[in-house]
Amino acid sequence: MNVCIFTGARPNFVKAAPIIRAIQKTAGIAYQLVYAGSSADPTLEPTLFDDLQMPRPDVFLGVDCVNLNELTGRVMAEFEAYLDSNAIDTVIVVDDLASTMAAAIVAKKRGLRLAHIVAGTRSFDISMPKEVNRLVIDGLSDMLFTAGAGSVSIATREGAEMNRIHMVGNILMDTLRYNHDRWKRPVCLDDIPDGGYIVLTINRKALLANRDNMQLMLSAITEASGSVPVIAPLRQESRTVVEQLSHNLVIIPSLSYLEFGYLTSNAMGVVTDSGNVAEEATFNHVPCATLNSYTEHIETVRQGTNVLVGEDAKLLREAVADMVKGQWKSSSLPDRWDGRTAERIVQTLMS
């Protein structure tokens, strides 16, 4: 079996790494790792692949543009050319990017087997470009690998046959489990004890664009945290906005994967607009407030440590105050969030 693992952005590699390790342990299957972007992509910091203990992509398609429709067309053309030169029978796509959808369309037009990792996730907001991508990718996929029962229910309601759906668990947990003993304590914690700080991450453009409400939310965090430091590792665009609106945060540059893993797993609590970070907080049993009104993995709320506060400064203030007081809900790990998802995926592919 010749597999192409297609990735479209930095977070995809965190989910691809355990699949590669599982493939390397399995006879009868070979893979190539393909990235939609260029080898000079600034988000792929030099430490990323070393931290994840995975190889760099075998192929860079070199597509780099902002317009999603243009990006989709260019990825389709480049991925078609890649398949012309490589004997691939199975394409694995991760998540829900425009580039992911483009690869899925090309794969199915060529009659290849298509597998979607993190299938069945929905916001139920069709105005979101990613929601359109999810619907298309799931509709085309021969194998839908879901993270939990909620995603299975969504896929079946939308008409997917049960023999196409495989509940394998959350692939992010594989990477967390694998790297648990490899975390690196970041320099920003030199004078701060473990469990004595709150982590803030913000990346969503719509959230940052509403400056007035963003200022209210940042004020709510700093007021409720009191003397507990709030550490915010931010990429440049987010950092510029947050620095203009608040001077009471410990704002630092974005961290390497292993440093960020240490920071979040040893925090008093996490405030984030990232679904991935919220899922990791559930695995680490760390209280988490998500700056959104929905989550793609409702298990993080029903069983895990996550609460949804939307963009409501009042709800955010209450959540952070509860973190500081140690008054958080009890939690458990959702089914199959055990770090063995990649093994199940590869076993299913081979069967």
Side-chain angles (χ1 to χ4, degrees), residues 66 133 158 253 318:
V66 175
N133 301 341
E158 293 177 355
E318 292 170 357

Side-chain angles (χ1 to χ4, degrees), residues 166-184:
H166 308 274
M167 193 177 90
V168 292
N170 192 326
I171 192 73
L172 271 180
M173 306 308 115
D174 291 38
T175 302
L176 290 183
R177 181 187 180 199
Y178 180 79
N179 289 295
H180 185 268
D181 295 328
R182 301 178 61 244
W183 296 139
K184 295 179 180 177

Side-chain angles (χ1 to χ4, degrees), residues 196-250:
Y197 58 91
I198 291 170
V199 177
L200 170 66
T201 78
I202 302 175
N203 288 293
R204 191 155 52 91
K205 291 181 180 178
L207 187 63
L208 292 164
N210 188 341
R211 299 293 182 94
D212 291 341
N213 194 57
M214 189 77 255
Q215 188 159 36
L216 290 174
M217 296 177 75
L218 293 173
S219 296
I221 294 170
T222 54
E223 289 167 11
S225 60
S227 61
V228 175
V230 178
I231 302 174
L234 302 174
R235 295 194 179 277
Q236 190 55 54
E237 183 178 348
S238 302
R239 183 174 183 169
T240 299
V241 173
V242 173
E243 282 181 332
Q244 292 172 352
L245 299 177
S246 177
H247 303 289
N248 298 315
L249 304 172
V250 182

Side-chain angles (χ1 to χ4, degrees), residues 185-194 197 231 262-263:
R185 200 171 199 272
V187 174
C188 64
L189 294 181
D190 281 354
D191 299 317
I192 303 173
D194 288 354
Y197 58 91
I231 302 174
Y262 188 102
L263 187 74

